[in-house]
C-alpha cells in the first residue's frame, strides 16, 4: 500500500486524479461510452511518450513521438473507438478482428486490444514500429500483432470486421476497403493537409458501401513507402 502511494506521488501528473480529470473533459466533449472512458483511464498513456512529455500525457492533446509523427489526441482515440464498438453493447469483446493503419507508438492499438479478440497494426517507420513493440510488451498486451510495412501495399488474406486509419489518405484505398467483411466498418480521416473529415464506411456487400461523415479532423498524412 505504501508502495502504491509512493509510486503515485512519484508519478505526479500521471496519477489517477489526473486521469479522472481527462475523463471528465472527454465526457464534456461528448464521449459517452463508459467502456471507452474506462479504457482511457486504464491504459497508461504516459508510458507511450518520452519522459520529457510524460507529464502532459493526460491533457487532451496530440503530442510528438519522433519522426514528425504524433500520438493522437485522447478525444480522437476515444471517438474512433466508440464509433467502432457502438453496435455491440453486450459482448465483452465487441470486435473480432481489427486492423489499424499507422501504429505510431502503439497507444490506439493498446486501446483497441481491450475491445477486439485480435488487432493487427501496420507502421511504415521502423523506429516507431520498434517503439510500439516495446510499449505493448511492457504492458503485456498479447493480442496485437505489429507489422512493419506500407499499408498501401498491404495484402492480407485475412478479413477484418473493423479497420481504423490513424493517418489520412486522400481517398481510402480500394485494397483496404475490400479487406472488410460484409457488415464490417472502417473509420478514417480522409482528405489533404488542409481539410480532412472523419468518415465511417460500412461495407454492405462487394459493390455497396455506406459513407457517413462524423466531423472535421486533422491527422498526419498517409504516405507511400517505408523508412527502415
Ligand atoms: N495510432 C497512433 C497514431 C500514429 S500517427 C496513436 O495511437 O497515437 C500515424 C502513423 O501512421 C504514423 O506513425 C505514420 O508513420 C503512419 N503511417 C503513415 N502512412 C502509413 C502507411 N502508408 N502505412 C503504414 N503506416 C503509415
Amino acid at each position: 500500500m505504501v508502495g502504491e502511494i509512493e509510486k503515485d506521488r512519484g508519478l505526479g501528473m500521471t496519477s489517477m486524479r489526473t486521469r479522472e480529470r481527462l475523463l471528465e473533459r472527454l465526457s464534456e466533449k461528448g464521449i459517452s461510452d463508459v467502456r471507452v472512458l474506462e479504457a482511457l483511464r486504464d491504459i497508461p498513456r504516459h508510458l507511450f511518450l518520452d519522459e520529457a512529455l510524460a507529464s502532459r500525457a493526460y491533457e487532451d492533446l496530440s503530442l510528438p513521438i519522433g519522426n514528425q509523427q504524433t500520438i493522437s489526441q485522447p478525444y480522437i482515440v476515444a471517438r474512433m473507438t466508440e464509433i467502432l464498438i457502438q453496435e455491440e453493447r453486450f459482448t465483452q469483446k465487441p470486435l473480432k478482428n481489427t486492423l489499424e493503419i499507422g501504429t505510431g507508438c502503439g497507444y490506439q492499438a493498446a486501446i483497441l486490444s481491450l475491445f477486439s479478440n485480435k488487432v493487427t497494426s501496420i507502421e511504415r517507420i521502423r523506429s516507431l514500429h520498434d517503439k510500439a513493440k516495446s510499449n505493448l510488451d511492457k504492458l503485456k498486451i498479447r493480442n496485437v500483432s505489429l507489422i512493419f510495412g506500407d499499408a498501401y501495399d498491404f495484402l492480407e488474406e485475412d478479413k477484418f470486421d473493423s479497420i481504423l486509419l490513424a493517418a489520412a489518405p486522400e481517398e481510402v484505398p480500394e485494397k483496404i476497403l475490400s479487406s472488410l467483411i460484409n457488415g464490417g466498418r472502417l473509420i478514417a480521416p480522409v482528405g489533404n493537409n488542409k481539410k480532412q473529415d472523419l468518415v465511417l464506411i460500412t461495407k454492405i456487400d462487394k459493390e455497396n458501401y455506406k459513407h457517413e461523415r462524423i466531423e472535421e479532423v486533422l491527422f498526419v498524412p498517409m504516405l507511400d513507402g517505408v523508412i527502415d
Side-chain angles (χ1 to χ4, degrees):
M1 200 51 201
V2 173
E4 284 294 308
I5 294 165
E6 285 306 316
K7 204 163 72 194
D8 245 15
R9 227 182 253 150
L11 290 173
M13 287 304 289
T14 59
S15 70
M16 271 298 164
R17 285 266 312 278
T18 318
R19 296 190 204 185
E20 295 288 350
R21 269 199 297 269
L22 171 63
L23 296 201
E24 280 163 29
R25 284 225 18 85
L26 297 179
S27 313
E28 282 162 18
K29 286 184 159 180
I31 305 299
S32 59
D33 193 318
V34 177
R35 297 170 297 174
V36 173
L37 292 169
E38 285 176 355
L40 270 91
R41 183 194 60 204
D42 295 344
I43 297 286
R45 189 170 182 255
H46 64 280
L47 294 185
F48 291 82
L49 290 163
D50 288 343
E51 231 167 281
L53 287 171
S55 66
R56 310 197 65 187
Y58 300 98
E59 293 175 33
D60 191 23
L61 293 174
S62 63
L63 292 165
I65 52 173
N67 297 80
Q68 282 125 41
Q69 304 305 318
T70 53
I71 184 171
S72 300
Q73 181 192 1
Y75 167 75
I76 283 293
V77 170
R79 188 88 180 97
M80 289 171 96
T81 308
E82 183 172 75
I83 288 166
L84 283 180
I85 68 173
Q86 69 192 353
E87 305 277 300
E88 275 281 359
R89 295 244 137 233
F90 305 110
T91 36
Q92 222 208 341
K93 292 264 175 150
L95 311 174
K96 302 287 165 278
N97 197 16
T98 302
L99 172 68
E100 180 193 30
I101 291 172
T103 317
C105 59
Y107 178 67
Q108 172 81 71
I111 298 283
L112 288 171
S113 78
L114 301 176
F115 298 109
S116 187
N117 289 340
K118 186 175 169 228
V119 178
T120 303
S121 184
I122 175 163
E123 172 57 56
R124 66 183 281 275
I125 301 177
R126 169 80 73 184
S127 60
L128 289 175
H129 164 81
D130 291 344
K131 199 185 273 188
K133 190 167 181 336
S134 105
N135 288 338
L136 296 174
D137 282 350
K138 258 189 285 186
L139 293 174
K140 302 194 165 50
I141 292 174
R142 313 243 189 259
N143 59 337
V144 176
S145 57
L146 298 178
I147 299 177
F148 168 60
D150 172 1
Y152 281 115
D153 288 338
F154 184 68
L155 276 179
E156 266 273 294
E157 290 301 303
D158 225 2
K159 292 275 183 196
F160 301 93
D161 60 351
S162 47
I163 300 181
L164 183 153
L165 271 64
E170 297 212 354
E171 253 182 83
V172 179
E174 194 57 46
K175 247 192 296 191
I176 293 172
L177 275 177
S178 65
S179 57
L180 276 177
I181 58 167
N182 288 350
R185 293 132 62 80
L186 174 147
I187 185 133
V190 179
N192 52 33
N193 58 3
K194 292 197 186 69
K195 189 177 182 309
Q196 296 167 11
D197 285 323
L198 189 63
V199 292
L200 173 66
I201 302 176
T202 307
K203 180 169 182 173
I204 297 158
D205 57 40
K206 214 164 168 232
E207 273 95 47
N208 297 293
Y209 292 86
K210 182 170 113 192
H211 288 245
E212 292 164 79
R213 179 187 176 277
I214 312 288
E215 61 189 70
E216 200 170 321
V217 287
L218 193 58
F219 278 73
V220 295
M222 192 168 155
L223 299 172
D224 273 332
V226 295
I227 301 182
D228 204 345

